[in-house]
Amino acid sequence: MKVQCDIRFTNSTHGSYLSGQQLTGEVQIKLTEAKRFNEITLRIVGYSSVNWSEKRGQGRRRRTVYYGARRDHLSSQKVLFRPQQNGNPGELPAGEHMYEFACELPTSLPTSFEGAYGHCRYTAQVVFDRPWKFNLTHKVGFTVVQPRDLNLQSPSIRMPTQMEDARVFCCGIWRTKPLFVRVTVPCTGYVPGQAIPLTINLDNRSSRLIEGVNMKLQQEVTYRAESPAHKYRRELHTIVKHIGNGVEGEATNQYVQRLVVPTVVPTCGDQNLISVAYRLHLTVRVEGCGSDPVLEIPLIIGTTPLIPDQPATVAIPPQTVVAGDGFNFGNVPEQLPSASGIMRQNTLPPEYLPPPTYEEAMNAAAVVITDDTDTHAIGTTKPYVPLYPSYNFNDIQWPPLPPNSSLPQPPLPPKQ
């Protein structure tokens, strides 16, 4: 290969950024001999796209309807190598050529995501415009995460939350005594790596055997199409599952189960084409006929954990905004501030909490980011997987459980 190209991000080891951060990097071009180019440009783009198909009608009227939508979030371009003043192609000599760049990422950028029916993707691409030949391209992907500081959410997520169910079971004219179920969580906001402590109360006054309690942390992904009409498609994934103990007939049981949140995309996308939400889903499996009690508690998965007692907020001065198209060659900052305080007023966690690491999402599949414009790609295009923040709490409960997080309550009246 006579032309080699490499794009490196200099202020992020794995190419992961928070929206509002500054992306910096360098483009390395190696030529084994002098080459003539009309132009060499660096393009940084980000967009969301959804698409799927559905069958409609029967028989001869059966047809396939294609739903889709696209929304652009980021588009910047910078010329690395300019042609001569007379418009003729310029010659780039043999050897190694380095170009530094910096790009301000808007604070409104949605979180990177790769799903079955759509994606939100960010890429940096170098395009070699050659005279009388096909263009050469080299592309890499990077991750953008929209920060969600749990301390800036509604105060209600700090409060203990519980769901209850009370019912009787019938078989003809025969009715059992009631079964009371209660599940309590100390708060409804968590971050990846944090344990969710569930307190399960089973008061079984019936003669039925409670075989167990299925506890799941579920992720619901919603895709929104805009053409040929507004349409929604949803995916439901179980990302954590545990089967807890049941209880014999006419007996009670109480226990606490911890579900650790794996590395997943934070709750996001209320105004985007793709949104992600989470909830706890519990099913109490009852022996015999009758419906099983089901309880659900919505959760928020954030990027900064809840801090007890709300310390004072610290204002982080914003980075200098670059005029023009968002690029700044030269004068690149050596290091960005930590992820907990980028261009906004945030609640900073205690110093003894380690900063998050960026890891691949649970069960994430690597994707190929090349498209129809990359028919003459050079170099090795690495499979791309988004990286999301995750904390290591070393098996400690954070935040600490509040006092009286699970208060005894009078049983609900039974329902059939």
Side-chain angles (χ1 to χ4, degrees):
M1 178 64 66
K2 298 180 180 179
V3 180
Q4 298 180 13
C5 183
D6 187 24
I7 303 174
R8 293 190 291 262
F9 303 107
T10 55
N11 62 334
S12 176
T13 305
H14 302 290
S16 297
Y17 297 90
L18 297 179
S19 58
Q21 263 189 323
Q22 185 185 53
L23 178 151
T24 67
E26 58 186 15
V27 176
Q28 181 188 59
I29 299 175
K30 292 182 179 180
L31 302 178
T32 56
E33 59 184 46
K35 291 288 184 180
R36 298 177 65 82
F37 298 100
N38 291 328
E39 195 174 68
I40 302 176
T41 58
L42 172 66
R43 301 172 183 174
I44 296 182
V45 300
Y47 68 96
S48 294
S49 174
V50 299
N51 58 83
W52 70 86
S53 62
E54 297 181 6
K55 298 293 185 180
R56 291 286 184 267
Q58 298 292 332
R60 293 183 177 180
R61 295 184 176 181
R62 189 169 179 83
R63 68 189 191 281
T64 302
V65 180
Y66 295 93
Y67 293 93
R70 179 187 171 102
R71 186 172 298 173
D72 293 322
H73 307 302
L74 178 66
S75 179
S76 294
Q77 178 172 304
K78 188 66 179 183
V79 177
L80 304 182
F81 177 75
R82 297 182 181 276
Q84 298 180 5
Q85 294 182 354
N86 57 11
N88 293 329
E91 183 176 274
L92 192 64
E96 180 179 306
H97 307 271
M98 300 292 296
Y99 303 92
E100 289 187 334
F101 64 90
C103 178
E104 299 289 342
L105 301 177
T107 58
S108 60
L109 292 183
T111 299
S112 299
F113 180 80
E114 298 288 336
Y117 303 106
H119 56 259
C120 179
R121 187 177 297 168
Y122 299 88
T123 61
Q125 181 186 48
V126 176
V127 179
F128 297 85
D129 186 350
R130 302 186 296 174
W132 307 105
K133 294 181 180 180
F134 291 108
N135 293 343
L136 300 177
T137 61
H138 179 70
K139 181 187 292 184
V140 297
F142 62 94
T143 303
V144 173
V145 177
Q146 176 67 237
R148 185 174 286 269
D149 188 341
L150 297 178
N151 301 280
L152 304 180
Q153 305 297 308
S154 170
S156 62
I157 71 171
R158 293 178 171 272
M159 304 299 295
T161 300
Q162 66 181 19
M163 293 293 293
E164 298 175 318
D165 192 295
R167 66 181 60 197
V168 296
F169 304 96
C170 303
C171 187
I173 61 173
W174 177 76
R175 293 164 58 93
T176 69
K177 291 183 179 181
L179 163 67
F180 300 101
V181 182
R182 180 184 297 123
V183 56
T184 306
V185 293
C187 60
T188 55
Y190 299 89
V191 295
Q194 186 175 4
I196 306 173
L198 309 178
T199 302
I200 313 294
N201 290 274
L202 300 173
D203 183 2
N204 186 14
R205 302 180 186 181
S206 73
S207 58
R208 295 286 188 89
L209 170 66
I210 307 303
E211 298 176 337
V213 180
N214 292 350
M215 292 165 273
K216 301 177 182 179
L217 176 58
Q218 293 182 333
Q219 178 193 71
E220 184 179 48
V221 184
T222 303
Y223 304 90
R224 187 176 74 224
E226 298 176 343
S227 176
H230 287 276
K231 182 82 172 181
Y232 293 89
R233 182 151 191 171
R234 290 179 171 85
E235 280 186 301
L236 190 62
H237 305 283
T238 297
I239 57 177
V240 178
K241 181 178 180 180
H242 180 80
I243 300 178
N245 298 329
V247 64
E248 300 288 339
E250 300 180 351
T252 61
N253 188 16
Q254 181 189 66
Y255 60 94
V256 175
Q257 179 63 46
R258 290 158 54 92
L259 298 180
V260 178
V261 181
T263 301
V264 291
V265 56
T267 301
C268 64
D270 297 338
Q271 304 298 324
N272 194 25
L273 298 179
I274 304 173
S275 61
V276 182
Y278 296 90
R279 62 173 177 257
L280 284 172
H281 181 95
L282 284 87
T283 303
V284 181
R285 296 184 290 108
V286 182
E287 183 183 47
C289 60
S291 60
D292 295 337
V294 176
L295 303 93
E296 290 186 340
I297 300 178
L299 298 179
I300 295 178
I301 304 301
T303 58
T304 302
L306 285 171
I307 308 302
D309 300 327
Q310 282 284 32
T313 57
V314 178
I316 302 299
Q319 296 288 328
T320 303
V321 177
V322 182
D325 56 8
F327 280 80
N328 177 24
F329 278 70
N331 195 23
V332 177
E334 296 181 357
Q335 188 174 2
L336 290 175
S338 64
S340 59
I342 302 299
M343 294 182 65
R344 63 197 55 177
Q345 193 171 18
N346 264 4
T347 301
L348 300 181
E351 295 181 356
Y352 52 82
L353 256 186
T357 59
Y358 284 80
E359 303 173 5
E360 295 181 4
M362 177 183 178
N363 298 327
V367 297
V368 178
I369 59 175
T370 55
D371 52 31
D372 295 340
T373 65
D374 301 302
T375 53
H376 293 81
I378 60 176
T380 302
T381 302
K382 299 179 181 179
Y384 167 72
V385 180
L387 304 176
Y388 303 116
S390 179
Y391 289 80
N392 180 10
F393 291 96
N394 296 321
D395 297 326
I396 66 171
Q397 175 57 43
W398 184 268
L401 296 179
N404 301 325
S405 61
S406 169
L407 299 177
Q409 300 286 338
L412 297 174
K415 63 182 178 180
Q416 183 171 344

